[in-house]
Amino acid sequence: MEKVEQEMKETPEPAEVSRRRFLGAGSVAAIVGAAELTAMASGQQAADTRKAEHDRSESNPGPENQGLAALSADSELPPATDHGDTPTFWTSFALARRRIEEGGWARQTNVKDLPIAKEIAAVNMRLTSGGVRELHWHAAAEWSLMLNGSARLTAIDTEGNAYVNDVGKGDLWYFPAGVPHSIQGLGPDGCEFLLVFDDGTFSEFDTTLVSDWTARTPREVLAKNWGVPVSALAGMPTEELYIFQAELPGSLEEDRRAARGRGKLTEVAFDFKASTMPATLHTPSGEVRVIDSRNFPVSTNIAAALVRVRPGGMRELHWHPNADEWQYYIEGQGRMTLFANGGKARTMTFHLGDVGYVPRTFGHYIENTGTTDLVFLEMFKANRYVDLSLSQWMRRTPPKLVKEHLKISEETLQAIPEANERVVPGK
Ligand code: MN
Ligand code: MN
């Protein structure tokens, strides 16, 4: 707050911008704790004075969805630096229709509801204890994070070898395009997970299901295919199952032995125990876990970073040269400003269950605006996770050249972190 005032004394600005700055700072005060409020007190008085004269312009007397406005604080009262026409890069699973079946439910977000999200679509799914997402495959690769509970996965690899394994909270899996698989919730309360697909047009409700395919194949053809009488197929479903309730499976060993038969179990690790993975990078302000083809070899087309930001901290200003970024917010709350070039920038607010999107190469930061940890996923349609840091760029460029651009002192330049720290503290 003091810094803002000082800047304003040094740099005369148009009156409108000055007032907006005071109001922006005032709105921050409304969501921080008592200690911060005390520290801001002198600045707050000035803000209150200015607010009185500015209320008329900021008033919003018309019909308003108050609940949504409260959740979209950075749209309701944007930072004064936001400018221009920047596409929406927020959506939430809470807006998606839940397709509820006996055995669980699914909901999705793709390019139809978030037009900017061309490279990635996602599904949030819950399966009851014993509930099955039926045997299927799809044209997109599938990456998943288990959010709650545990599940049994089955698949076959491209050599036809069997895969059966159990995954728990915090673990991941990846099935390449066309690899058939199933998911079944285990006890005591099934599971919930996030599925990420490397295609923005992917639809969970348009995958290749074994029940749908067999129902759309002449019975005599199926009978010939399997060398059995048509009468043996009389009980087969005539509609897709998709999600259905089943009995809990037996032990993992039993299932593996039965699935292997006279063949082999696969040597491909389709799952990854991210729940026990040490942080790739750790700072006092948070930690980052990078999972891509370097440590999870099967995941050739999807890269991920799981980011934890402590209260007051921030995922620093950065960009990704190799792919769009799709985000999923798991804990806490934050805000992200997307810099869309040509003077355009927009800030949006994120809560748990929300989805964000950043086009390839666009600069952005994510700030923890809450009082608890902010946890979110950064997902990319890429073989490897790559990010570039504004701070590191400034420190790996001849200092004279940087100072001529930014008009900052040598002392200030030297204070900028040299490393790509990814998660930086609040000041
Ligand atoms: Mn799938
Ligand atoms: Mn990013």
Side-chain angles (χ1 to χ4, degrees):
M1 201 54 211
E2 284 170 15
K3 200 175 169 189
V4 171
E5 283 185 286
Q6 197 180 350
E7 267 179 41
M8 290 184 58
K9 279 173 199 153
E10 286 172 5
T11 315
E13 304 181 284
E16 186 195 339
V17 176
S18 301
R19 283 197 296 270
R20 295 292 311 278
R21 276 201 178 200
F22 271 112
L23 284 162
S27 74
V28 170
I31 56 167
V32 299
E36 290 86 348
L37 276 176
T38 309
M40 286 177 161
S42 61
Q44 185 61 49
Q45 280 176 0
D48 288 345
T49 310
R50 298 293 182 125
K51 196 169 192 316
E53 73 183 65
H54 206 60
D55 273 349
R56 194 172 50 172
S57 300
E58 289 192 349
S59 61
N60 184 5
E64 178 86 330
N65 181 329
Q66 297 290 348
L68 195 50
L71 289 171
S72 314
D74 293 295
S75 294
E76 180 69 9
L77 194 64
T81 42
D82 277 14
H83 186 256
D85 184 15
T86 304
T88 296
F89 49 91
W90 169 94
T91 189
S92 181
F93 277 108
L95 302 177
R97 175 181 74 91
R98 281 198 300 161
R99 176 177 170 180
I100 303 173
E101 307 281 346
E102 191 67 38
W105 52 260
R107 55 186 175 180
Q108 71 179 6
T109 171
N110 63 23
V111 73
K112 286 181 186 165
D113 39 5
L114 188 63
I116 196 176
K118 292 188 169 59
E119 290 193 353
I120 290 197
V123 168
N124 178 205
M125 188 179 293
R126 168 120 170 88
L127 297 172
T128 59
S129 175
V132 175
R133 166 65 170 97
E134 86 158 282
L135 290 159
H136 72 287
W137 74 85
H138 26 72
E142 166 179 320
W143 181 102
S144 181
L145 172 67
M146 186 59 79
L147 300 168
N148 293 299
S150 59
R152 176 152 309 167
L153 307 176
T154 77
I156 59 169
D157 67 18
T158 52
E159 306 299 317
N161 301 313
Y163 163 83
V164 187
N165 206 7
D166 292 347
V167 287
K169 182 175 178 176
D171 293 334
L172 312 177
W173 69 79
Y174 182 94
F175 293 121
V179 165
H181 53 279
S182 69
I183 309 159
Q184 183 170 21
L186 298 177
D189 188 32
C191 58
E192 182 182 355
F193 46 92
L194 175 76
L195 297 164
V196 176
F197 300 91
D198 63 348
D199 176 3
T201 67
F202 172 86
S203 173
E204 169 66 11
F205 309 124
D206 199 17
T207 62
T208 306
L209 308 179
V210 67
S211 63
D212 193 23
W213 190 15
T214 52
R216 304 297 156 204
T217 303
R219 280 287 161 90
E220 66 274 18
V221 170
L222 268 185
K224 184 187 286 186
N225 194 62
W226 287 338
V228 298
V230 172
S231 60
L233 306 179
M236 287 187 66
T238 54
E239 298 290 337
E240 68 172 38
L241 299 172
Y242 182 57
I243 287 174
F244 63 97
Q245 185 63 49
E247 288 180 12
L248 277 170
S251 76
L252 186 55
E253 290 316 311
E254 279 172 337
D255 255 8
R256 280 182 169 162
R257 198 165 43 242
R260 185 183 66 217
R262 291 194 297 271
K264 288 195 302 180
L265 291 174
T266 184
E267 292 175 1
V268 179
F270 288 108
D271 58 273
F272 180 80
K273 300 294 178 199
S275 54
T276 54
M277 176 191 177
T280 310
L281 186 143
H282 184 97
T283 79
S285 310
E287 46 194 47
V288 180
R289 285 172 172 77
V290 174
I291 301 124
D292 63 18
S293 62
R294 288 170 289 191
N295 54 358
F296 185 25
V298 72
S299 188
T300 52
N301 215 36
I302 298 184
L306 180 60
V307 181
R308 178 175 293 273
V309 184
R310 309 282 179 216
M314 189 169 82
R315 175 76 175 88
E316 66 173 290
L317 290 156
H318 69 281
W319 71 102
H320 307 274
N322 61 334
D324 292 2
E325 172 176 342
W326 183 94
Q327 300 166 342
Y328 177 67
Y329 288 80
I330 301 171
E331 292 178 35
Q333 66 172 60
R335 67 170 182 167
M336 172 166 70
T337 301
L338 188 70
F339 173 55
N341 307 314
K344 299 189 291 294
R346 181 165 181 199
T347 307
M348 300 192 84
T349 311
F350 294 86
H351 299 271
L352 50 170
D354 288 355
V355 167
Y357 203 85
V358 182
R360 180 185 310 213
T361 77
F362 278 27
H364 56 288
Y365 68 86
I366 300 102
E367 183 179 25
N368 185 345
T369 53
T371 55
T372 58
D373 284 7
L374 171 68
V375 179
F376 65 97
L377 273 174
E378 304 178 8
M379 302 298 309
F380 305 87
K381 180 181 181 174
N383 183 259
R384 290 189 173 198
Y385 178 84
V386 184
D387 66 337
L388 289 168
S389 148
L390 172 65
S391 297
Q392 194 169 45
W393 182 30
M394 294 300 97
R395 292 303 304 276
R396 292 287 175 266
T397 301
K400 182 168 181 291
L401 184 62
V402 174
K403 286 187 283 186
E404 282 166 347
H405 280 80
L406 299 182
K407 310 297 182 199
I408 57 176
S409 69
E410 178 65 22
E411 187 188 6
T412 299
L413 178 57
Q414 294 302 323
I416 295 174
E418 279 187 80
N420 181 353
E421 296 185 345
R422 300 207 170 103
V423 186
V424 295
K427 283 276 189 280

